[in-house]
Amino acid sequence: MNAIEVSELSKTYGQEIKAVDNISFTVDEGEVFGLLGPNGAGKTTTIKIITTLIKPSSGLVSVFGLDVLRYPQEVRQCLGYVPQAVSVDGDLSAYENLLIFSKLFYVGKRERDERIKFALDYMDLSQRADDLVKHFSGGMMRRLEIAQALVNRPRVLILDEPSIGLDPGSKKQMWKYIQKLNEEFKVTVLITTHDMMEADELCERIAIMESGKISVIGNPRDLKRSVGGEILTVKLSTNSVPSSLSARPTAVLGSLSIPPELGSIVSQEEDTLKIVTENGERAIPRIMDYFERLGYAVESVSLNRPTLDDVFMKYGKTSLERVGVYGEARTQRRAIVRHSR
């Protein structure tokens, strides 16, 4: 059974604004699935429909076979949801925040303390259980928000921009917690992100969204391969050209070729060659050996792999790095954290 199934989903605001435009995808049980795209792509609207917070204009959405429109209460009991905005109360302690959340999810009195203790322990917050949340760092707040989502023992954890506004160290720590939850408890995880490193690190599959549509769905590694091969930039020393040919080093370099199994030379600027190959790490020693056997010295070799931004450029027709979402998202989250204090 699919954990989440979305079929021909659309959401229109007013008569003109189509936030989600006829998208379809499934999330397997136990999978980490990502919606990757800039702000305004429709990611948050999609998860708000899945979490029953808003109704779709058309299409079907189900969670473990439960239609979100017909069985909203049952669907909510399956889910844990962490939104972009701060969802903890800074004037309450960590324990009090989780206590309120457990009551909202109708967790029985006998189970509350056990579940709250487990969630705080799991997110390494038990020593701060009685501290006011307004004194927490941004990373600790985010961990507390995930702890909240764990109180009702969700089968699906939905995270809207999980590392938004966090510093690099806190971000990597957050990724470890998410991976741990998925691996240890087989929790299905759906994340939205505009962070390509985050999608690459966490997701088994991603759907690239742009302007309310899904451009492509696939494994990050396969999507990067679809852009093209890996690029090796090889710089040769013209001083090492065989003596019989040293009078015309540039001409000699211009006539070079390599065996097809090593790749193909796609461009050359004097003594620097760009070679497309399927597996750069494997090809490097073989290419160096090939040129050295011809009598050339290899001064340097660099390897460039396709990135998810290259994938986004191919399928979304723009670059995530250029649409200005990173700074905006960080500022938004940090402003919210400061305001909560």
Side-chain angles (χ1 to χ4, degrees), residues 39-51:
N39 291 346
K43 308 186 304 295
T44 297
T45 299
T46 299
I47 64 171
K48 283 187 174 180
I49 294 172
I50 295 171
T51 54

Side-chain angles (χ1 to χ4, degrees), residues 85-256:
V86 173
S87 58
V88 289
D89 191 326
D91 292 324
L92 298 177
S93 69
Y95 176 87
E96 290 168 335
N97 271 280
L98 267 63
L99 178 62
I100 291 174
F101 212 79
S102 66
K103 290 180 178 181
L104 290 173
F105 272 90
Y106 304 104
V107 177
K109 289 183 180 180
R110 294 182 180 180
E111 299 176 278
R112 283 177 196 162
D113 281 346
E114 179 187 345
R115 290 198 185 186
I116 290 171
K117 183 179 184 303
F118 168 80
L120 289 172
D121 285 346
Y122 199 83
M123 300 307 293
D124 292 329
L125 291 170
S126 56
Q127 293 184 347
R128 304 293 298 272
D130 297 322
D131 294 348
L132 294 182
V133 173
K134 64 184 177 183
H135 300 306
F136 284 13
S137 66
M140 291 174 64
M141 280 191 182
R142 208 55 169 158
R143 281 153 53 197
L144 181 61
E145 289 169 330
I146 293 181
Q148 278 187 156
L150 296 180
V151 167
N152 69 315
R153 303 283 172 86
R155 296 175 69 186
V156 178
L157 181 61
I158 298 179
L159 306 171
D160 195 2
E161 302 285 357
S163 61
I164 188 172
L166 301 184
D167 61 80
S170 297
K171 180 184 294 188
K172 290 183 179 180
Q173 187 179 33
M174 181 63 59
W175 294 349
K176 289 181 181 178
Y177 283 114
I178 295 170
Q179 290 169 330
K180 186 180 176 184
L181 277 168
N182 173 253
E183 292 169 4
E184 291 189 0
F185 298 102
K186 308 303 179 186
V187 176
T188 304
V189 181
L190 171 62
I191 72 169
T192 72
T193 184
H194 57 257
D195 187 323
M196 293 172 291
M197 288 182 62
E198 183 165 77
D200 215 350
E201 177 74 19
L202 293 178
C203 299
E204 296 166 58
R205 288 188 302 140
I206 60 171
I208 290 181
M209 289 193 72
E210 174 68 11
S211 302
K213 294 179 178 291
I214 290 180
S215 302
V216 67
I217 298 176
N219 175 279
R221 182 182 300 175
D222 294 337
L223 290 176
K224 286 183 286 187
R225 284 177 178 169
S226 74
V227 174
E230 298 179 348
I231 303 293
L232 290 175
T233 302
V234 181
K235 182 176 175 60
L236 301 176
S237 172
T238 54
N239 294 330
S240 66
V241 173
S243 57
S244 60
L245 303 172
S246 59
R248 298 168 57 213
T250 301
V252 171
L253 287 172
S255 65
L256 283 175

